[in-house]
Amino acid sequence: MQMKMTTKVKVLLALVVVLMPFFLITNVRLLVRPAANFYARTTELCAVLAPAPRKAEVAARARGIREAAAWCAEHPGRALGGWLTTWAPDYPEVRNAWLMANLAGLFLVAVLAGGVAYRRHTNPFWRIQQKIREEQNPYAGSYVRQFIDSWREEKGLAGLKEHPAGGTWIGVEIRNGRPVVITDQDANQHVFLVGTTGSGKTTTLMNFVESALQRGLPCIVIDGKGDPDLAGRIRSLAERHGRPFRLFAMRGDSCLYNPLAHGGITELTDKLLYLTEWSEPHYEALARRYLQAAFRVLKATGTQLDLHALTRHLDPDALAALARKMADDAEREAVFGVLSLAKTEELKGLIARLALLAESEIGHLFAAAEGKTLDLAAVINHGAAAVFSLNSLAFPEYSRLLGRLVIADLKTVADRQHGSKIIYTIFDEFSVFASRAVVDLISKARSKGFHTIIATQSLADIEAAAGQAVVRQILGNCSTLIIQRQRQHQDAEALASEVGTRKSMEMTYQVATGMLKDQTGYGSVREVREYIVHPDVIKNMLTGDAVLAQPRRVRYIRVRKPGER
């Protein structure tokens, strides 16, 4: 397997290749003469007791070595070239002395470095500091360590091809390259993913989509941003794994979608009530009674039920005219008794919201017609992929209403499924359609097989759209938190606080005054609480990296790219 090198490693290797010749030439110029002189002197001393002829021979050889060393010092480049091209030079002692001097220097450096490392290792406070530093900053370490860690991570990512039977490969741990899986049980307890633009959030989401389609599980995605690239990537994955694909889009080619196709009178009423944040329970109860009466009339008269038919008959006069066709006198009288409720302002607001969808430029997409229709029950039964691409930039109000309506319809369809079925639901740019009622609905749908991933760019987006209480509600309902890069310090700090704190040691040192300010050897150590993941780490994470926080465990991960081979 060929390892991919990071940019830093490539630059480091390039510098080594460029600077190595200059280093070797300088090394020869500085070391060859003293090393050769030491060798020649040692040879002469060893020959002190030798016979006179032998002593003269050794002295002559020593002079030759010194002269050769002087020439090498003056011409280091030519000397290196001769040593590399000639196995047996005229004076091999010069080359050998230079090599031994370098080996001795390396040995001395290794001994000194080992002594420093041993002293640090035996210092318990240094070990505590080092452990905290590595846990708080996943990128800490020398270039050599980063190179080794990168190799481990790439090797681990290359092995994540097929998702496991009971979960999703999300990536590998930074540093050790161990695979990280988010199980179906984790997803059933809901996942909250937060990452700013360019942090790799979409890639993270695509791992869940790929896992569901690969295992034949239904996957419904509501994209509040309406990104056509996301829909295209999901379509490609569905085709690769042989799964049906349906797309509802506010612009371009789109399936039809009838949110009122499934459910009884009470369920249909609940769907529409989720569209409004009710200020008073009294008004909500009145709206419920009126909508139930309207649905009862439409079903009793055999009227085809969709948003267009509903909005046409929600007007009290139109509903009264249709109610006169009801065969049951008691039901008809009960309906007429409810018609007076239409005068309340809150109910008029709900009727206006429904008319806003049905009469808009995308209203034709909500017709109950034969043809290319997105039916959530069929999506779930056939293990298909469905994408609702809501263009919140061009249609902000429609996107908000439709997102809430789809989630309510999902809950109704899932509730009518026989047996327990795993349904992956992904809500990207959740702030577009967030509300307290929607979050409560998602939480209650857990028992119906919902395995939900809620994604947003920042906590501030949801807070601005639905309030701080909804942010707390989401964080309280999601057992798995995936944090990718954040730009704002307030969001990074809030997420770091959500991950939690731990016990740590804070050390202070006493410094001597005067000309040389140095440690006196005295200081203090005290126990403190500090962030498990510091906000600065969250703000400076690389694209594709994340913090995975689960109960009793926090890991730094490098996210896998779907379909990576």
Side-chain angles (χ1 to χ4, degrees):
M1 181 190 67
Q2 185 177 3
M3 183 188 63
K4 298 178 182 178
M5 294 186 293
T6 63
T7 303
K8 286 184 177 180
V9 173
K10 291 178 180 177
V11 171
L12 181 62
L13 291 177
L15 287 174
V16 169
V17 171
V18 171
L19 297 178
M20 182 60 71
F22 298 98
F23 170 77
L24 291 175
I25 289 173
T26 304
N27 184 282
V28 171
R29 189 184 299 276
L30 295 176
L31 290 184
V32 69
R33 183 175 291 176
N37 288 339
F38 177 79
Y39 180 83
R41 184 58 180 166
T42 303
T43 303
E44 290 174 335
L45 290 175
C46 292
V48 169
L49 301 179
R54 174 60 179 167
K55 189 181 298 185
E57 182 184 346
V58 170
R61 187 65 178 178
R63 283 194 303 272
I65 291 173
R66 289 188 178 96
E67 292 173 358
W71 184 88
C72 290
E74 293 175 0
H75 307 87
R78 294 173 62 183
L80 276 171
W83 292 343
L84 292 174
T85 57
T86 303
W87 178 252
D90 293 337
Y91 287 93
E93 297 90 345
V94 177
R95 180 191 61 187
N96 296 340
W98 174 73
L99 290 174
M100 292 302 296
N102 278 280
L103 289 175
L106 290 174
F107 178 76
L108 180 61
V109 170
V111 170
L112 292 175
V116 172
Y118 177 77
R119 184 174 180 182
R120 284 184 171 183
H121 182 73
T122 55
N123 185 340
F125 299 118
W126 183 88
R127 291 204 305 271
I128 293 172
Q129 280 186 323
Q130 183 69 11
K131 181 179 179 181
I132 293 171
R133 190 181 301 114
E134 290 181 358
E135 290 177 347
Q136 287 190 339
N137 185 4
Y139 309 115
S142 64
Y143 284 120
V144 174
R145 176 157 187 177
Q146 290 181 30
F147 183 80
I148 296 173
D149 292 343
S150 176
W151 177 79
R152 289 175 176 172
E153 293 155 13
E154 294 293 342
K155 182 179 179 182
L157 287 171
L160 304 183
K161 296 181 180 179
E162 300 295 326
H163 291 275
T168 299
W169 289 128
I170 197 67
V172 297
E173 290 187 43
I174 292 178
R175 291 196 182 278
N176 57 42
R178 281 197 292 262
V180 177
V181 62
I182 294 183
T183 65
D184 288 337
Q185 182 179 358
D186 296 331
N188 184 235
Q189 295 173 358
H190 301 336
V191 178
F192 183 50
L193 168 61
V194 56
T196 190
T197 302
S199 63
K201 174 168 64 72
T202 301
T203 300
T204 305
L205 288 176
M206 289 302 296
N207 280 297
F208 293 101
V209 176
E210 183 185 53
S211 173
L213 296 178
Q214 178 187 300
R215 296 184 288 149
L217 302 176
C219 181
I220 296 99
V221 179
I222 304 179
D223 178 20
K225 186 169 57 177
D227 184 6
D229 179 64
L230 176 63
R233 293 172 67 178
I234 296 175
R235 183 194 298 271
S236 297
L237 281 177
E239 292 174 353
R240 181 187 304 173
H241 296 287
R243 313 308 306 174
F245 176 80
R246 292 289 181 269
L247 171 64
F248 177 91
M250 293 181 167
R251 281 182 174 168
D253 186 31
S254 173
C255 294
L256 302 178
Y257 171 60
N258 180 13
L260 304 181
H262 300 283
I265 292 175
T266 301
E267 292 169 318
L268 293 173
T269 300
D270 287 339
K271 286 183 189 181
L272 300 184
L273 291 179
Y274 280 118
L275 298 180
T276 302
E277 295 286 342
W278 298 96
S279 57
E280 296 289 341
H282 170 68
Y283 292 130
E284 183 180 1
L286 292 177
R288 182 180 296 277
R289 288 186 62 195
Y290 189 85
L291 288 174
Q292 285 179 339
F295 282 124
R296 189 176 294 111
V297 171
L298 292 171
K299 284 183 175 290
T301 57
T303 304
Q304 189 175 32
L305 193 56
D306 58 22
L307 279 180
H308 295 279
L310 180 64
T311 52
R312 284 198 307 269
H313 295 96
L314 274 183
D315 179 77
D317 294 334
L319 189 61
L322 188 62
R324 293 188 181 95
K325 300 178 181 179
M326 297 177 67
D328 192 311
D329 294 337
E331 284 192 359
R332 184 171 60 250
E333 291 301 322
V335 169
F336 280 112
V338 178
L339 290 180
S340 60
L341 301 178
K343 298 179 181 180
T344 63
E345 294 299 324
E346 292 288 338
L347 186 54
K348 290 180 179 179
L350 176 60
I351 295 173
R353 291 183 187 90
L354 293 174
L356 185 68
L357 277 177
E359 298 170 4
S360 67
E361 60 185 283
I362 61 171
H364 64 283
L365 298 176
F366 304 109
E370 297 294 333
K372 193 177 177 182
T373 303
L374 197 165
D375 188 308
L376 288 178
V379 169
I380 292 174
N381 290 330
H382 296 102
V387 177
F388 291 86
S389 187
L390 312 181
N391 192 333
S392 58
L393 184 62
F395 308 101
E397 184 63 18
Y398 303 157
S399 299
R400 183 178 68 86
L401 296 177
L402 185 57
R404 296 178 180 182
L405 196 56
V406 172
I407 293 175
D409 191 24
L410 262 173
K411 191 262 181 185
T412 299
V413 172
D415 194 40
R416 289 171 168 260
Q417 295 295 310
H418 298 290
S420 179
K421 196 177 187 77
I422 295 176
I423 306 169
Y424 266 84
T425 55
I426 298 174
F427 307 134
D428 194 13
E429 302 299 337
F430 185 72
S431 59
V432 172
F433 43 87
S435 73
R436 181 176 297 184
V438 169
V439 176
D440 184 60
L441 178 64
I442 293 172
S443 177
K444 292 177 180 178
R446 180 182 301 170
S447 61
K448 305 302 179 183
F450 272 39
H451 292 57
T452 302
I453 296 90
I454 298 175
T456 186
Q457 291 195 21
S458 67
L459 297 180
D461 290 343
I462 298 179
E463 184 176 353
Q468 180 63 33
V470 173
V471 175
R472 293 198 302 269
Q473 191 179 11
I474 292 172
L475 292 172
N477 282 323
C478 296
S479 64
T480 298
L481 180 60
I482 303 176
I483 305 171
Q484 297 189 265
R485 187 174 63 248
Q486 293 291 291
R487 298 186 188 278
Q488 295 297 322
H489 180 75
Q490 292 86 347
D491 286 335
E493 190 170 31
L495 291 167
S497 300
E498 193 65 30
V499 174
T501 61
R502 64 182 167 204
K503 290 181 181 179
S504 183
M505 305 297 292
E506 183 180 75
M507 288 172 281
T508 62
Y509 303 95
Q510 187 182 75
V511 179
T513 59
M515 294 293 293
L516 298 176
K517 291 180 170 58
D518 197 5
Q519 295 180 16
T520 63
Y522 295 95
S524 64
V525 179
R526 67 189 183 98
E527 189 178 275
V528 295
R529 302 290 302 185
E530 67 176 9
Y531 288 118
I532 296 175
V533 179
H534 197 276
D536 289 342
V537 173
I538 296 175
K539 290 171 62 179
N540 294 290
M541 298 194 78
L542 300 178
T543 299
D545 289 356
V547 175
L548 176 62
Q550 295 176 299
R552 294 183 171 273
R553 192 172 190 186
V554 178
R555 288 171 284 180
Y556 294 99
I557 64 171
R558 183 142 294 155
V559 176
R560 167 188 180 272
K561 293 181 180 179
E564 189 174 56
R565 293 293 184 266

